[in-house]
Amino acid sequence: MSKQENSADRDARVLQLYEELIEIEQRMIPTGLHILGKPSPGSEKVDMLKMVAAFDRPELGARALPDLVAKSLGLAEETDGVTQRDQIDLIIKRSIEELLDRGVDAACALLEREARVSPQESQPTFLLMSNIAEALNTNQELESLSRALRGEFIEPGPGADIVQNPQILPTGRNTHAINPYSVPSTVAFARSERVADNLLARYKQENGRYPEAMALVLWGLDNIKTQGEGVGQALWLLGVRPVRDALNRTTSVSVIPLAELGRPRIDVVMTVSGIFRDLFSPTVQLLDQAVKVVGALDEPIELNFVRKHIVEQMAAEKCEFDFAALRVFSNAPGNYGTNVNFMVMDSQWENEETLGDLFVTRKCFAYGRDSKGQSLEGLEARVAMDRALTRVEATYQNIDTFEIGLTDVDHYFEYLGGISNAVEKRAKSRPAIYLSDSLSHDSKVRTLEETVRLETRAKTLNPKWYEGMLKHGFRGVAEIENHVSNTFGWSATADAVDDWIYSEVANTFVFDDSMLERLRDLNPHSAHSLVRRLLEANGRGYWDIEQSVLDKLKQISRSLEDQLEGVA
Ligand code: BEZ
Ligand code: MG
């Protein structure tokens, strides 16, 4: 801190730090792997129910407990009142423990005693929690697996995240998705307005203007779980609303007038996963239709960037509207994935650009209809995709669950990292890269770097997380190594990992003798891969370290190799 900073600045920075700590502390993380057939233990149940209770569920008449308590005590739940938040949190935790010990009436009574919330208000929420707690104890997974293997009937149930939709319980049912024509649902579309606004506000705050074009990643499972929030976000950015036909199917869009929108229409390049393309065929058509409707509007080009880019491209390249308006891309029919993850994991690349090029090679197949109404059915359109990406200034993906985040799987970096990398080469400038959690109260938008830091602190470097993993022995060490490799994926594709992250990973898992001993006892293969990945991070220039640290790492790597040879 510089001397010039006065005490008000200092207080503001301390508060901001405290806010960040609270954010990490309150972040829901899985503290172990799920074991098929085993219900979650009691302590996890309290955390899980607290998270479920944090959201209003108007369809069930249940109010969010933090809101009820804050309102009743006259506290502002979403302000910076740190101790207030702790206080609310503690009361809710106690009320849920009471619910599990002594039932709904006792929990209502506790909340009335401690926070003056009337039982009439809290009862629907506690009844819901009680049903969920009971359903969490029932687990049909092993029974259903045996039934499936015998070719017998398995009761169907919706697929979602427990916080998004508690109706997924009990687990062990035959997961069904949703009707693609229902996407985006009314609630999802309303929620996605807030995210789209936050995204644009964040970009504007950092750049002083709106982005002309953004690239969005849309996944199938996420849009099932959120009932189409990702789709809704794309429609909001374009400035259109979904319209339902007489059979209540979303089959077209209506244009939101510019005066109502109050901002320019953003050009949106959409990369949809193979799963999305297969599950949401009518939605793919809807998104393509939305771009074309917006591109054909007679509006000033400084308020309609879709039209601006189409008109410019048609003039410069003497091409047709249909070609200049291609914005929905996926794999070739029957193909899935970007393969960027495999290339990174196998270290099969020399320079980073190769990763973005591979992304485009895999994903440059256009979907939608031409102006004669003919389906494109995955038309190879590399030139069109390259061209669309040259204009992109920001990339974005929504995270829809607390269970799977940026470093849990290699799919986030293969998609969001892959497209951001492709944009950087084509636009000749690194895009702003954003994520948001659809689960957070305020639909907070974070940069990629912020999200990597948050995930690292909440999971990889958090003893609660890694000790939870280590309880699973061999598999747990593999999970830790996966997290480190997935973090590395964010260096490779988007240079988004701070040096301190690798340093702390090394300090926690490699340079701590007793931890290294545990890892090599449980799973010497993954321990070795982890050390090798750290060496690769240094070798490729993502982690700057002293020679002595490098020597020590190399020596540990050699000793692990010797151990593995001894094992072999
Ligand atoms: C999807 O749901 O579309 C998806 C799932 C896993 C990896 C990539 C995409
Ligand atoms: Mg760096």
Side-chain angles (χ1 to χ4, degrees), residues 219-222 273 275-276 411 415:
W219 283 355
L221 300 181
D222 293 36
S273 69
I275 298 180
F276 185 102
H411 299 304
Y415 272 86

Side-chain angles (χ1 to χ4, degrees), residues 301-340:
I301 53 170
E302 65 280 9
L303 290 173
N304 182 334
F305 297 134
V306 186
R307 179 170 142 78
K308 176 181 178 196
H309 298 150
I310 292 175
V311 168
E312 283 174 359
Q313 189 176 348
M314 286 169 68
E317 295 171 18
K318 307 271 173 290
C319 65
E320 301 280 324
F321 177 91
D322 278 353
F323 182 78
L326 293 175
R327 293 291 183 279
V328 186
F329 298 95
S330 187
N331 298 85
N335 274 294
Y336 302 84
T338 71
N339 291 358
V340 169

